[in-house]
Structures are given as C-alpha cells and as structure tokens.
Amino acid sequence: MSIAIALDGPAGAGKSTIARQAASKLGYIYVDTGALYRTIGLAAMRRETEPVDSPELDAMLEQIKVELTFNENGEQIVLLDGEDVSSLIRTPEVSMMASKISAVPKVRAYLLDLQRNMAKTNDVIMDGRDIGTVVLPDAQVKIFLTASPEARAGRRYKELIEKGMDVKFEDILSDVIERDYNDTHRETAPLKAAEDSVTVDTTELDFDQSVEKIISVIKEKI
Ligand code: DC
C-alpha cells in the first residue's frame, strides 16, 4: 500500500516549500492541491465567470480539462486545457479568486477524484486545506502546519518581491487575513485541523528547522 501524508494549514504557512523539500528527502511525490483550485480560478477569470454556484460555472467545469503532471525534476506542472499554467496561477488576483471559488461545493467535488487518484499509486505528501479531513481521511500521517498571520504575510511578501512583483506588505497581510476567513468559514470542507493531526507551528522556526520537524513527525508515525 502506498503511503499518504496529509499536510493542511492556512495560506502562507510555508506548506509548499517545506513539503516539497520533505518529499524530496523522503522520496515521495509532492502534490500541491492549491494549484488545482488556482487553475479553476484562472479559468473563471479568463471566462469572466463569477466564483459562485451558477449554471455558468457548471458549464465551465464541464468544458475545461485540468491535469497534474510532473517535469523531469519531479516538479508539479498543472495543465489547463493542455496549457502549462503553473506560473500564471501565482498572482495575488488568482489567489483571491481561488479562495472564493474553492468555497463552491461543485468545484471541490470536481477535484476530488483527481486528488485521490494521485495518492492511489504514489507515496505522496499532499498539501491543501482538507486533505486530512476530506480527501485522504485514511492518511497514515496528518499534519496541520500553521504560523501567525504576520509571519505568513511576511514570507509571501518576500517571495513576491523576489519574483519582481510590485506589492505592499499591508495588502498581503489583509489578503492573508481575508483568505483565512474565507477558508475557515466556508460551509464545504472548511479549513480545520483533523482530530488525529499533529499541529506544527512554524512562526519561530526557519525553513530547515520546519523541514526537520515535519520529517521527524512523519518518521515517528511510519
Ligand atoms: O494553497 P494555496 O494558497 O495555493 O491555495 C489556493 C486556494 O485554494 C486557497 O485560498 C484555498 C483553496 N484550497 C482549498 O480550498 N483546498 C485545498 N485542498 C487547497 C487549496
């Protein structure tokens, strides 16, 4: 049987970079499920479809094709109708759209099998909001990774500035707070720690310490 590690937590807790590094050390595949919601968000932005339950959104979900693949370096690539949109989905506008559209139950249902299939055939660290609670409730290890809103906004700010984007810290912090609110208050699969998860708070940990902590939690359980 393949091994599944569910890694959930709020936006900007460092889940993706930490999980990618831990997965590479453990020889697992890293699956970033947020990229799937972002891709649906991008598709809706392109079609000017509102991120709400509607016949337009239903039609869009029927028409689009979302796929996950991996490049030769083992990095995840997400395809929208065959186009590699992995970089295009990283803007603050797409982040906000993804947060809104991920509250629509049909969107969550649409992505469920795709996520579960990834874990059927591979050892995975899967990162998201509802992996331990909904997508992979039988995951052998469940981790809830968190940090203070200020620490999370600070990290995302640094990341975007390094990419040459013109952003303000205050805007990033209010985005983090708004997305936290959306993610924890939606009716379907809200962000919350699974009862059988281990919480890891990275506010005071640097990157290497966070990776070590995650690996030690995993090794203790497997
Ligand atoms: O992890 P991220 O910031 O790339 O995720 C983008 C949005 O997608 C986030 O606001 C919440 C949503 N999301 C979700 O609802 N469920 C997941 N498993 C992953 C992401």
Side-chain angles (χ1 to χ4, degrees):
M1 206 180 82
S2 54
I3 295 169
I5 316 292
L7 186 72
D8 292 302
K15 293 195 303 293
S16 57
T17 41
I18 293 167
R20 192 176 294 120
Q21 179 73 4
S24 116
K25 287 197 174 184
L26 293 165
Y28 295 179
I29 285 180
Y30 164 62
V31 181
D32 165 15
T33 64
L36 300 172
Y37 290 93
R38 288 169 177 271
T39 300
I40 307 257
L42 177 68
M45 277 166 67
R46 284 180 169 176
R47 290 168 181 242
E48 298 184 8
T49 301
E50 290 295 315
V52 292
D53 196 354
S54 68
E56 290 75 34
L57 185 62
D58 292 352
M60 184 188 95
L61 292 176
E62 266 174 37
Q63 287 159 13
I64 62 172
K65 189 168 181 207
V66 178
E67 294 163 284
L68 271 188
T69 62
F70 296 88
N71 69 14
E72 61 281 2
N73 301 323
E75 290 158 7
Q76 175 178 298
I77 304 287
V78 60
L79 302 174
L80 172 59
D81 298 324
E83 175 193 354
D84 178 357
V85 294
S86 312
S87 302
L88 290 177
I89 56 173
R90 297 293 157 196
T91 65
E93 292 76 23
V94 176
S95 297
M96 198 50 77
M97 189 67 166
S99 176
K100 289 180 179 153
I101 215 159
S102 65
V104 180
K106 276 177 200 151
V107 169
R108 308 202 69 82
Y110 176 86
L111 292 173
L112 200 52
D113 284 347
L114 177 56
Q115 297 173 84
R116 286 189 176 152
N117 287 338
M118 296 302 300
K120 264 189 199 146
T121 41
N122 305 290
D123 291 338
V124 294
I125 297 187
M126 191 173 286
D127 130 19
R129 302 292 189 285
D130 61 337
I131 309 305
T133 50
V134 177
V135 179
L136 304 174
D138 297 328
Q140 289 91 334
V141 185
K142 298 181 185 180
I143 299 171
F144 193 79
L145 193 75
T146 189
S148 70
E150 290 74 16
R152 289 185 281 128
R155 290 172 194 163
R156 188 136 294 189
Y157 174 73
K158 197 165 158 255
E159 216 176 279
L160 294 173
I161 291 287
E162 278 166 7
K163 281 186 188 155
M165 291 188 185
D166 180 20
V167 287
K168 289 202 186 73
F169 175 77
E170 294 71 33
D171 294 343
I172 306 279
L173 179 60
S174 63
D175 271 14
V176 163
I177 292 169
E178 188 180 340
R179 284 216 285 151
D180 280 358
Y181 186 87
N182 289 344
D183 295 350
T184 51
H185 286 77
R186 64 178 180 229
E187 268 177 39
T188 311
L191 168 67
K192 66 168 193 280
E195 273 176 18
D196 47 351
S197 67
V198 176
T199 295
V200 175
D201 188 324
T202 67
T203 305
E204 304 291 339
L205 302 182
D206 68 19
F207 177 71
D208 289 337
Q209 291 168 327
S210 305
V211 173
E212 283 316 310
K213 179 74 192 160
I214 295 296
I215 291 180
S216 77
V217 170
I218 294 171
K219 287 196 169 157
E220 252 171 49
K221 298 242 172 191
I222 286 181

